[in-house]
Amino acid sequence: MTGLMHRSEVAVSVELQTPDMTLNIGPQHPSTHGVLRLVAKVDGERIEEVEPVIGYMHRGYEKLAEVRTYAQITALVNRIDWVAGFASEVPFIVAVERLTGIEAPPRAQWIRLILTEMARIASHLVFMSSYPLELGATTPLMWALRERERVLDLIESVTGGRFHPNFNRVGGVKPAAGGGSKTKKISMDLPAGFFAQTKTAMEKVLHVCDELDELVTGNEFIKARTVGIGVIPPDKAIEYGLSGPNLRASGVDFDLRKVEPILPYDEVDFDVVVTTSGDCYDRYVCRLEEIRQSARIVLQAIDKIPSGPLQAKVPRVLKVPEGQVYVRHENPKGEFGYYIVSEGGRMPYRLKIRSTSFSNLSILPWLLEGQLVPDLVAIMGSLDFVLGDVDR
Amino acid sequence: MAYDKSIRPPFAGLWKGMWATLKALFRRPPTVFYPEEKEIPVPRARGVISLDTEACTVCMLCARECPDWCIYIEGHKEEVPPSKPGGRPRTRAKLDRFDIDFALCMYCGICVEVCPFDALFWSPEYEYSEYSIADLLHPVERLTEWLDTVPEPPALESS
């Protein structure tokens, strides 16, 4: 140790007994993506220990779900991870469908697939905007959010909501409102011009990826802040239960869209993006490539989408038989699962939400130990969590 | 993924950033100046709920299915004299109160979906912010006013 230090520093550390300082970061801090509080014990610039304090955004969805019908829970679950609301709706609906034995018609499943991938693009574009911002670059924020707005507008034109689509129903997608004579014939199929607009939007998204490649990926300041920082080895990543791009950046080839597809992912052609070194830079690159893959999936899906009905036959009062089911799906952030225990009836007995960000955040104390305080923001941002998803 | 991780000598990135800023200066901005210019919401946008009092039969389905119970309905039965002489007098449900508290509403659209008589509609209007939270409780009169702003459903993608 002394060999690396300058002589003057050695003298100081001998004379001064510097006690560890406790640094409180958050809960209201611009780089914590919400209300995460970190209690860090620092020795100068080194972090010795960090403890995330969560729960500031606890809304109790698991408990709320016990006194809500399945249709009402659908409106609640897309508020868990609001950056990609559609992606957290799909596994819940599929779980209820598995319990009841209803299967959605193919066209509805393809609409779900298209909108899930659009939600993934929107979520990753938020990362593409917020991560360089945390590292000190403001231009990518504007560029990425501009294209994200295009994607959100398309989601809104189909579902009626930008963030909270509430579009999936058991046995299909949202039916026409009511049963009266006026709205009986209204279908909630894709609106006219959707395919053409999607094609343009995907081209723009791919274009902004190239722009970001030029501006951010090759930038030496970004590289200096991220290359070799916050390295997660594959065995640690598996140990802490990471999933999604955080796991794949460490070199583990695991994508639930390939392993356990709950939507017709086996009919589209895409690559699972895996990078090897597991540092902050790789996690960034992994997400950037995933946007390209998602755009590829959407472009294939709008060519392949079959015609047909949108809704299977579902009883008016949905009673779910007794049973248990766990359905997981690849959220933009990783594995997102619902464990439903049903004792029969209109409401679940228990709904356990396996939210991605909560599991991804669990590696933070291990990862930040021994890192420098300026790297804290870079490492925390690279994990890409949403506090609503952490606290539920 | 072949990404170059080597760090080149500085300033190249700086000039690239400056060049991007210069190019963006001459680009049309994607933003709109809100009070003067307005974006037109899509027809399916969930802006505000409107009520057709003629169609409402006070069945309370919407109030019961609402996940956060923000719809308040009161009504009574009244007798309608027979339309033809010698006919039977009929009872008809009469709406006394229909309030939606938009401070509580989470815009899920379940009430519109379950209404069996087409009394509720989504309107994409969004300019109804208030200084007091109590004013967000829209009574029948305001809910029926929104009815004029309900758009036609959009044409569908031919499949």
Side-chain angles (χ1 to χ4, degrees):
Chain A
M1 193 67 192
T2 37
L4 293 169
M5 275 180 165
H6 193 261
R7 197 186 288 163
S8 60
E9 280 179 53
V10 178
V12 167
S13 65
V14 169
E15 282 166 17
L16 282 174
Q17 290 293 319
T18 50
D20 287 348
M21 194 179 83
T22 307
L23 184 66
N24 191 34
I25 303 159
Q28 299 287 349
H29 193 264
S31 72
T32 54
H33 300 250
V35 279
L36 174 70
R37 180 172 159 222
L38 292 175
V39 182
K41 236 185 220 166
V42 291
D43 178 19
E45 283 281 279
R46 278 276 157 219
I47 297 166
E48 285 189 336
E49 199 190 325
V50 68
E51 190 197 344
V53 183
I54 59 169
Y56 287 94
M57 204 148 177
H58 182 63
R59 292 153 294 168
Y61 281 145
E62 293 184 3
K63 197 71 196 164
L64 279 175
E66 291 170 16
V67 288
R68 297 287 189 286
T69 61
Y70 290 96
Q72 292 174 338
I73 299 169
T74 320
L76 288 177
V77 291
N78 52 33
R79 282 157 169 81
I80 295 171
D81 174 8
W82 55 76
V83 183
F86 201 89
S88 44
E89 243 177 71
V90 171
F92 175 75
I93 286 299
V94 174
V96 182
E97 280 174 359
R98 295 235 170 118
L99 272 175
T100 46
I102 298 166
E103 205 186 340
R107 189 173 172 86
Q109 293 204 13
W110 281 86
I111 290 177
R112 283 179 190 174
L113 185 141
I114 292 173
L115 293 179
T116 307
E117 289 309 312
M118 281 188 168
R120 190 184 312 280
I121 292 170
S123 169
H124 282 347
L125 281 176
V126 170
F127 175 82
M128 287 302 136
S129 62
S130 69
Y131 192 52
L133 184 75
E134 278 155 16
L135 300 176
T138 42
T139 311
L141 172 96
M142 302 298 167
W143 288 12
L145 287 189
R146 186 183 65 210
E147 301 314 324
R148 168 178 172 259
E149 203 56 38
R150 231 181 268 278
V151 176
L152 287 181
D153 279 350
L154 282 169
I155 294 179
E156 190 187 15
S157 74
V158 180
T159 65
R162 288 167 76 241
F163 276 75
H164 307 309
N166 192 18
F167 193 60
N168 290 290
R169 295 290 179 274
V170 176
V173 296
K174 191 172 176 172
S181 54
K182 263 186 232 157
T183 51
K184 204 188 276 173
K185 291 191 183 74
I186 300 172
S187 163
M188 291 298 264
D189 207 340
L190 302 171
F194 177 80
F195 291 152
Q197 284 168 20
T198 310
K199 264 188 190 131
T200 343
M202 289 305 124
E203 274 162 24
K204 295 270 185 188
V205 164
L206 289 173
H207 179 65
V208 87
C209 283
D210 294 341
E211 280 184 325
L212 286 173
D213 245 352
E214 207 173 307
L215 194 70
V216 184
T217 319
N219 188 295
E220 54 270 14
F221 300 108
I222 299 279
K223 276 183 187 169
R225 292 289 308 270
T226 53
V227 173
I229 306 289
V231 179
I232 306 176
D235 56 325
K236 278 284 167 198
I238 294 167
E239 223 172 85
Y240 277 97
L242 296 197
S243 51
N246 292 335
L247 179 67
R248 291 193 285 275
S250 299
V252 184
D253 188 351
F254 181 75
D255 192 324
L256 285 170
R257 287 177 291 176
K258 292 273 188 198
V259 181
E260 267 183 35
I262 59 171
L263 294 173
Y265 277 110
D266 40 359
E267 289 173 47
V268 287
D269 186 30
F270 69 101
D271 299 327
V272 178
V273 186
V274 180
T275 49
T276 46
S277 61
D279 55 5
C280 292
Y281 188 74
D282 271 10
R283 287 196 279 280
Y284 164 82
V285 162
C286 200
R287 292 197 174 90
L288 187 65
E289 283 301 317
E290 270 192 16
I291 296 179
R292 293 201 170 108
Q293 294 300 329
S294 289
R296 209 174 128 197
I297 295 174
V298 171
L299 287 175
Q300 285 175 52
I302 56 176
D303 287 336
K304 281 192 178 172
I305 184 165
S307 53
L310 290 169
Q311 184 77 24
K313 273 218 177 311
V314 179
R316 203 159 172 87
V317 177
L318 184 76
K319 288 226 168 103
V320 174
E322 219 170 289
Q324 306 180 1
V325 72
Y326 178 67
V327 170
R328 53 186 187 164
H329 183 50
E330 187 76 20
N331 208 41
K333 290 167 186 71
E335 177 185 335
F336 200 97
Y338 291 96
Y339 186 77
I340 301 178
V341 181
S342 166
E343 289 201 323
R346 300 176 67 204
M347 303 170 190
Y349 175 73
R350 173 88 168 92
L351 174 72
K352 167 80 183 87
I353 304 161
R354 194 269 187 210
S355 69
T356 322
S357 301
F358 179 72
S359 304
N360 284 355
L361 192 72
S362 68
I363 202 172
L364 205 62
W366 178 84
L367 194 57
L368 284 177
E369 202 185 306
Q371 302 283 353
L372 294 172
V373 173
D375 288 340
L376 180 138
V377 170
I379 293 169
M380 202 165 64
S382 75
L383 288 176
D384 189 24
F385 50 82
V386 164
L387 257 291
D389 201 15
V390 174
D391 293 340
R392 304 196 280 283
Chain B
M1 245 43 64
Y3 273 95
D4 177 25
K5 284 198 170 185
S6 64
I7 298 173
R8 286 166 298 170
F11 296 124
L14 185 68
W15 290 119
K16 227 174 226 176
M18 286 299 174
W19 178 239
T21 313
L22 192 72
K23 271 198 293 188
L25 262 182
F26 301 103
R27 218 187 269 166
R28 222 179 121 256
T31 45
V32 291
F33 294 93
Y34 165 60
E36 284 91 38
E37 296 171 47
K38 279 175 195 169
E39 277 189 339
I40 303 161
V42 289
R44 280 182 193 173
R46 300 197 294 261
V48 67
I49 298 164
S50 61
L51 171 74
D52 183 359
T53 41
E54 292 300 307
C56 181
T57 60
V58 205
C59 70
M60 308 256 179
L61 261 181
C62 49
R64 223 168 52 200
E65 290 293 321
C66 178
D68 41 12
W69 304 297
C70 69
I71 305 177
Y72 309 98
I73 304 177
E74 277 165 29
H76 68 273
K77 290 255 162 75
E78 70 178 16
E79 227 161 63
V80 184
S83 50
K84 281 181 279 185
R88 222 159 24 93
R90 290 178 189 279
T91 52
R92 192 171 176 277
K94 188 92 173 63
L95 199 63
D96 292 331
R97 179 186 179 210
F98 194 109
D99 297 353
I100 298 182
D101 192 349
F102 282 106
L104 276 179
C105 177
M106 56 183 219
Y107 299 86
C108 62
I110 289 176
C111 51
V112 179
E113 212 179 299
V114 297
C115 180
F117 300 103
D118 285 339
L120 292 169
F121 298 94
W122 275 114
S123 156
E125 287 297 310
Y126 52 90
E127 290 173 314
Y128 53 95
S129 53
E130 301 283 355
Y131 285 106
S132 161
I133 198 165
D135 294 338
L136 279 171
L137 186 107
H138 286 199
V140 161
E141 297 81 41
R142 284 199 77 181
L143 291 175
T144 35
E145 267 172 38
W146 295 121
L147 205 59
D148 303 332
T149 60
V150 176
E152 284 290 303
L156 298 179
E157 191 75 70
S158 57
S159 60

